[in-house]
Amino acid sequence: MEDHREINTTRTRSKSSNRESSTTSTRSKSSNSESSTTSTRSKSSNSESSTTSTTIKSSNSESSTTSTTIKSSNSESSTTSTRTKSSNSESSTTSTRSKSSNSESSTTSTRSKSSNSESSTTSTTIKSSNSESSTTSTRTKSSNSESSTASTTIKSSNSESSTTSTRSKSSNSENTRTAGTRPVISSLAKLPDKLSVLTTTKCHMVAEI
């Protein structure tokens, strides 16, 4: 049995003395799936932007992606968002990047969810001419346990510091750990790094009769 497919494409273009824009929309449909894509581009004398959106649907799953880019004379930013959904799970990812003449930053966020667990991760990085910092946060959760980790690093021309914090929790125990290095100054480079560790443990004992 042949698969009947239907495809529709629409193009729109607009132009004026100082602006130009175009849109392309495509839709495809078959007996068991459907997809659509929309692309938009806009351009002016000092800036340019583009957006692309894609959606795919089938009998038991759905996914969508959106990408946006904006450019100007002294800066550029882009965002990409992806989402996937099925009968027993769901995940999403968002990535953002921004760039200018003297700095750059990026953020990525990921979330995953299923019938009995959930996890999320967020990562951020910021760079400038004389410094850099990054932060990563991770969290995992299930029916009987939960854990989270946060890590931060800061670097500059003459110093560096980092901190990591971890927490774990279950039905009968809890553990927290924090470790970090204090800033190391270039003029004191001969001194050893200071490392501090704090550990806390809680346990709940249950006696069986």
Side-chain angles (χ1 to χ4, degrees):
M1 182 176 179
E2 294 184 357
D3 182 21
H4 178 67
R5 182 177 294 272
E6 180 182 344
I7 300 176
N8 295 319
T9 302
T10 304
R11 292 183 178 89
T12 304
R13 185 177 179 184
S14 176
K15 191 174 182 181
S16 64
S17 58
N18 60 353
R19 182 177 291 275
E20 181 179 346
S21 65
S22 62
T23 302
T24 303
S25 179
T26 304
R27 185 179 179 185
S28 177
K29 192 174 182 182
S30 65
S31 58
N32 60 354
S33 68
E34 181 179 345
S35 66
S36 62
T37 301
T38 302
S39 178
T40 304
R41 184 178 179 184
S42 178
K43 192 174 182 181
S44 66
S45 57
N46 60 353
S47 67
E48 182 179 345
S49 66
S50 62
T51 301
T52 302
S53 178
T54 303
T55 302
I56 301 174
K57 291 182 181 179
S58 64
S59 57
N60 60 353
S61 67
E62 179 180 346
S63 67
S64 62
T65 301
T66 302
S67 177
T68 303
T69 301
I70 301 174
K71 292 182 182 180
S72 66
S73 56
N74 59 354
S75 66
E76 180 180 345
S77 66
S78 62
T79 302
T80 302
S81 177
T82 304
R83 183 180 179 186
T84 304
K85 191 175 182 182
S86 64
S87 56
N88 60 352
S89 67
E90 181 179 346
S91 66
S92 62
T93 301
T94 302
S95 178
T96 303
R97 183 179 178 186
S98 179
K99 191 175 182 182
S100 65
S101 57
N102 60 352
S103 67
E104 182 178 345
S105 66
S106 63
T107 301
T108 302
S109 177
T110 303
R111 184 179 179 186
S112 178
K113 191 175 182 182
S114 64
S115 57
N116 60 353
S117 67
E118 181 179 346
S119 66
S120 62
T121 301
T122 301
S123 178
T124 303
T125 301
I126 300 174
K127 291 182 182 180
S128 66
S129 56
N130 60 354
S131 67
E132 180 180 345
S133 65
S134 62
T135 302
T136 302
S137 176
T138 303
R139 183 180 179 186
T140 304
K141 192 175 181 182
S142 64
S143 57
N144 60 353
S145 67
E146 181 179 346
S147 65
S148 61
T149 301
S151 177
T152 302
T153 301
I154 300 174
K155 291 181 182 180
S156 66
S157 56
N158 61 351
S159 69
E160 180 178 346
S161 65
S162 63
T163 303
T164 301
S165 177
T166 303
R167 183 181 180 187
S168 179
K169 190 176 182 182
S170 64
S171 56
N172 62 350
S173 68
E174 181 177 346
N175 182 271
T176 302
R177 179 183 175 90
T178 301
T181 58
R182 297 178 182 176
V184 180
I185 310 301
S186 58
S187 60
L188 302 177
K190 294 181 179 180
L191 296 178
D193 295 349
K194 299 295 183 180
L195 178 64
S196 59
V197 178
L198 174 63
T199 303
T200 303
T201 303
K202 297 180 182 179
C203 293
H204 305 284
M205 304 301 294
V206 178
E208 295 185 358
I209 298 177

